[in-house]
Amino acid sequence: MSYNLLDKADFEKFKKNNPSNFQYDFEGGSYLKLQDLELNGLSGIDEEKLNKIATLMRELIFATVEGSRSGHPGGSSAKVEQFLAMTLGGAMAFDLLDPKNNCRDRVVWSAGHCTPGLYSGLALFYESLQKKGIKFDVKKLHAILGKDLSKFRKGGGLPGHAESYTPLSDISTGPSGHGFSAAGGLAITHKSSGTGSKVWVFMGDAESEEGMTYEARNILHTVGADNMIVSLDYNHFGIDGDIDEVLSNKYINNWLGLGWNVIEINGHNILECVYAYRLTSEKVFANGNPTVVIAHTWKGKSYGSLENSNKSHGSQVKHDEYIEIENKLNANNKVSIPGKEGDILSDIESILSNLDNSLATYIVGRLKVASKKIPNEQKVLVQMKKTLKFVKGGSTRKFKSVTEIERPSKLPAELVFVPEQKVATRKSSQVFFEWLMKESAFFWAGAGDLSESVKTDKAENVYGVINRKNPYGRGIRYGIAEQNMGMMGAGMTLDRLPGNFAPVSVIGTYAAFTSMMCNGIRVAVINNHLYPEHKGFFIVLASHDGPEVGEDGPTHQGLYWMSMYSAYPGIKVYKPTDANETIEMLFYAMKIGEPIILSVSRPDVLVLKRGKNACCGQFVPQAKEAVQGAYIFKDYKNNGNNKMCVAVSGAIVLNNLLQILPDLEKEKIDIKVVVVTSPELFAEFKKKNKKKADSIFSKEDRKVGVTLHAGWKGFLRDFVDNDFYSAKGGSASGGEERSIGLETYLASGSVDEVYEMAKLTSLDIKKKILEIK
């Protein structure tokens, strides 16, 4: 029977006769509702004691934000029962006396602003340990005690957002959604390495609005990251208002529809929280999917007039109301807070005096349960080697960190390119990454749906792309998701695996598209700055740099992308001129262990001839000198003609310049050509070897200098104007610093305090101006 569906009567007839055409069999993750369910008690889970601890934790949270008159009480208070159930409920493996044990579970505060909750919880735990006579090195562990809460968000005190050196916090977070993507990177690293560690994430409901979390949810389901558990605080409020104003669809579908397992609980019922985390950690669903525990909560629970409102996100109640709130929470305790404005430490001490011996004993006992869950590191290493033993071709993966691999004195034949042949630098990096993949079990490669174009494909194919059928691969199919790729690919390197192996990744896209990755990269290099012990090394492959993607038009031409990365401390832009320089600069980056942006070309470019009489009868240095950041390709002839020094970056413009040298000489111009591969590297080189650096590009050269770069002019500005700009992260030598500004990241503090840290007070500025010659 046929129908004209544009006819209303016919359409209704069709609808009546074919109901199955109007139904969709929803396929998603598994679902379990524990909310308001009668549950049996569990051995070791004393609900009465845990609820008393929860009350003390809220009191400390509110005192912490009162002391600083700054911070985020709403989300912190909403997560109290989740935090206690996760840490004391018997699901998580961690040890507060060895907080960065390589075999622990990882914890990421994607809701990085909820530090009043994290710090208050840690203060209760460490105070309990001290109460029970357990000694520990506070500074070494970065342990937090009650007195530390009084310095929250103040200069030299506890920072406003979660930082990765802190116990129970493994990524420094802040921007919404970024912690979730970074946690996903950790989950992929551990799952594909067979460590057995889980990754626990504290997340706010409004973070689902952030696009990168959608990108991350997709890939984590696809790869089967069932070692990732998200505790999602579903309190319905973002900063501006109800999240329904943004996410008007049924909220659960943002997770269930993407294949995640979902458990719904009352987030203030501690027994439901414990059950949810225990069931998830024991993989009750057994379907290979990651799990989100959606905890229905009240934002700002017990925080007086701001309870259950968006206003509690980052606002504080007035002092008189703060006292009322504390007294109400404290009604059943022996000691009340003094409540004297400006003396928050006395309030904190009063709250902690109600942490009696019974509660401290219980906390310490539960912490011991958590520490016993950490497996023996040697046993984990044996399991990892057994898991990763099988390789395509039958060889064994090499258990060696990438940054420990040294440049061979004689390079493998595949890493040497014949002069005067044409090879795109993206093809030389392709060969290098394939070679590197076979040299380390801890190297991952992926691209933003461009692997064959940016040439990460051969590296990905060595062990295959990670998926449920190939869980121990090393290729990551990020898809068209550059924002997530930047944070996830960089985030996975901010860790140390059992055996202290350091994960390394390369993430590739077109140079023009790297701007979409900027904030994730920024967060990653800030992590390196804050916690250098877990410094991550990663390579952002910026392929198709320059205007050579001509036929694709201006949206694809890589012209100005490097401006942001050149500004970030802790990462450098490398722009090798040919295939051999690409290899040398990659080996150098591995040796230094600092993240890089590697600019590579789309078209085949000439492999430069080097050595004696290589250019205009002059000596051209070997490709190794590219790691200096600059070298002399052709020197002056000193023939009495007017001198000009051309600082050039990029193979095509270099070759174009070389073709017109005879014509320029006819115009009585004596040309010196300096190839620049990284202005930032050269600034560092100048501090190490000023004499040689000055011979490459002197003050006299600068006076007659011209820059040549098929892209952003500013890339070579620091190189030429070295009298005015110094290297990121340090001052130039010889009194050359003439630029007053910032070169690194700052700690938390008030406006006055951060300007003191930056040395930009009136007195600082006066001093610097007087020092300039």
Side-chain angles (χ1 to χ4, degrees), residues 91-126:
M92 187 192 295
F94 71 97
D95 184 355
L96 285 188
L97 299 177
D98 185 12
K100 299 303 176 183
N101 184 299
N102 289 333
C103 298
R104 74 193 185 284
D105 286 349
R106 272 50 174 182
V107 184
V108 176
W109 290 76
S110 192
H113 58 283
C114 293
T115 44
L118 169 63
Y119 300 150
S120 296
L122 287 174
L124 284 170
F125 292 173
Y126 280 112

Side-chain angles (χ1 to χ4, degrees), residues 274-286:
V274 171
Y275 262 98
Y277 303 140
R278 293 264 284 264
L279 287 168
T280 304
S281 68
E282 293 168 16
K283 299 185 178 179
V284 65
F285 297 117

Side-chain angles (χ1 to χ4, degrees), residues 261-277:
N261 299 326
V262 174
I263 299 178
E264 286 196 273
I265 61 171
N266 174 354
H268 298 308
N269 183 314
I270 204 147
L271 187 60
E272 287 184 19
C273 293
V274 171
Y275 262 98
Y277 303 140

Side-chain angles (χ1 to χ4, degrees), residues 235-237 297-302 304-312:
N235 59 55
H236 294 269
F237 291 106
T297 65
W298 281 20
K299 195 177 185 86
K301 179 171 172 56
S302 302
S305 61
L306 298 186
E307 181 182 59
N308 199 31
S309 77
N310 63 303
K311 299 298 182 186
S312 70

Side-chain angles (χ1 to χ4, degrees), residues 679-692:
E680 298 160 292
L681 278 181
F682 187 71
E684 284 191 351
F685 178 70
K686 186 170 184 178
K687 286 186 283 184
K688 297 174 186 174
N689 192 338
K690 190 174 187 300
K691 184 177 179 181
K692 184 173 181 182

Side-chain angles (χ1 to χ4, degrees), residues 57 64 343 378 571 668 764 766:
M57 186 170 162
T64 298
D343 182 17
Q378 290 306 312
I571 189 167
K668 305 296 183 182
D764 290 322
K766 177 183 175 181

Side-chain angles (χ1 to χ4, degrees), residues 731-743:
S731 298
S733 59
E736 293 180 348
E737 177 60 79
R738 298 178 66 87
S739 175
I740 300 173
L742 295 179
E743 296 176 328

Side-chain angles (χ1 to χ4, degrees), residues 563-580:
S563 59
M564 184 64 74
Y565 295 110
S566 293
Y568 288 161
I571 189 167
K572 292 183 174 62
V573 179
Y574 286 14
K575 188 164 184 172
T577 315
D578 72 354
N580 288 323

